[in-house]
Amino acid sequence: MAGPMGMGGAYAAAANDTSALIWNPAGLARLPTAEIGIGYLDLYGLLGYSFVGVAHPIRTGQTLGAAILNSSDTEGLSHERIALLSAATHVWQQFCVGMSAKYFTTSVNLDQVPLGHGRGWGVDLGVQYAFMKERISIGVMLPNLLSNLSYHRLEEAGYNESLLREWRIGTAVKIDIPSRKSDTMLAAFEIANSIPIIGCEYRYDAKHGGLALRLGWRFNSGLTAGFGYQRGNIGLDYAFASRRYIGSYASLFSIRVFY
């Protein structure tokens, strides 16, 4: 989703919307209302990446979610699809735990000739803890804590492997603006696989959604930026990442619908 990307991805401690399905499932427990999220990433003609997710609180502090992620290059040489189910709950006061189970398939082709295909599963685990009236939060995300991929190449024996285990730990602080009581600022710091990330968001008229401006800096890949606007039951977001972020300039668009 564009919101986290605009902040450089420093979102393990701040996730509390459908973005949490990817960034930290524990944040789903803080979801105030049911939500649908749709996102699309364009790597300037190289790769298309789409996301469709839904999260629905079943009771206060307990939320279920599901998402489908799809990526493919413009020439149709590679294709990947991930389906995931997530659940999150408050364990104690403002301590939340979330888990995602995912199933994925991948294929590689050359001029419409299949070269190989794979399928597998994975489990993500996340925790969040908020204190000082939720002004400060800490988040830990462990993608692919458990996983297995079975891959088969054309005319070759198949093999199994585990996905790369990753980790992210971060903190986020909400800052009130004394001269503008309707505005808020969110500052986040995160370490993702030993890489420091800094992100911030300034939101005008936060009580009613309003306009959000975002900046992020990844110490290994440079600047990200973005903005968002929420009106009523609809929120729109956009993010831009510099060439160093993922090898090419990237734009991400997303929309959130609250119901």
Side-chain angles (χ1 to χ4, degrees), residues 26 33 38 57 64 73 77 89 145 162 179 185 190 224 231 246:
T33 185
I38 302 172
L64 298 177
D73 63 358
L77 300 180
T89 184
L145 182 63
S162 297
S179 60
M185 183 174 180
E190 186 168 315
T224 68
R231 182 76 173 182
I246 35 183

Side-chain angles (χ1 to χ4, degrees), residues 35 45 48 52 59 64 66 89 96 106 131 133 173 179 199 238 256:
E35 180 180 319
V52 178
R59 63 183 64 178
L64 298 177
T89 184
C96 306
T106 181
F131 53 97
K133 298 182 178 180
V173 181
S179 60
Y238 168 79
R256 294 183 296 145

